[in-house]
Amino acid sequence: MTHQDRITAKTSEHTPVIVNPSHLHDPTPNGYSTAVITPISGRLAFISGQGGQDETGALSPDFDVQVAQAYTNLRAVIEALGSDVTRVVKLTVYVVDHDMSKLATLTKHVVGMFEDTLPAQTLVPVPKLAIDPMLFEVEAVVALD
């Protein structure tokens, strides 16, 4: 890995390092990074899947609204841990009945939240989630220290 392959917002022993090797396809336009190295001294928090429920538990039938609310919920959990989005190292997203038309919505929201500190990410198409009207869920790994 060359120095050119590393893209970091900050460099310190407490900051995750984003790695996008130059000889691979650039994943950032799709809203993720190839790999993220956790800090040497870091503890990790594993955040359970966050769906698009609002504070009353209601789910909009609209995919875009659910994705936006899920990322709002994820941000709330990250902040409750005393961390911030720049410390998220891995996302796993679950999409009911995924098709290519949903990628623009997914990318818009992940880039809107993470900007240039895009975590590693995996998208898993699923036929159904825990609650019937749920269309999207996101779980995260966050470096705390």
Side-chain angles (χ1 to χ4, degrees):
M1 173 174 44
T2 68
H3 181 67
Q4 296 166 351
D5 290 335
R6 291 187 180 185
I7 302 171
T8 61
K10 299 180 228 175
T11 54
S12 91
E13 67 181 57
H14 302 291
T15 302
V17 175
I18 295 171
V19 180
N20 289 308
S22 58
H23 64 284
L24 296 179
H25 172 74
D26 179 12
T28 58
N30 295 318
Y32 68 97
S33 293
T34 303
V36 180
I37 302 168
T38 60
I40 294 171
S41 63
R43 291 180 304 142
L44 298 176
F46 296 84
I47 299 175
S48 295
Q50 299 300 302
Q53 297 95 331
D54 65 17
E55 62 277 352
T56 70
L59 280 163
S60 168
D62 183 84
F63 181 73
D64 185 79
V65 172
Q66 282 197 30
V67 174
Q69 184 64 53
Y71 279 109
T72 296
N73 297 346
L74 179 61
R75 182 185 297 273
V77 175
I78 292 165
E79 290 173 355
L81 295 171
S83 195
D84 65 69
V85 300
T86 65
R87 314 262 311 148
V88 174
V89 296
K90 175 73 166 87
L91 296 175
T92 303
V93 299
Y94 302 91
V95 179
V96 172
D97 298 327
H98 173 67
D99 61 44
M100 295 306 286
S101 69
K102 294 180 179 173
L103 282 179
T105 297
L106 297 170
T107 301
K108 172 181 75 172
H109 289 290
V110 77
V111 171
M113 182 164 170
F114 296 98
E115 297 176 358
D116 63 347
T117 59
L118 295 167
Q121 183 176 184
T122 300
L123 185 154
V124 182
V126 296
K128 182 177 174 177
L129 289 165
I131 302 168
D132 280 334
M134 186 184 261
L135 303 173
F136 177 80
E137 188 171 13
V138 57
E139 62 182 35
V141 178
V142 181
L144 296 177
D145 301 322

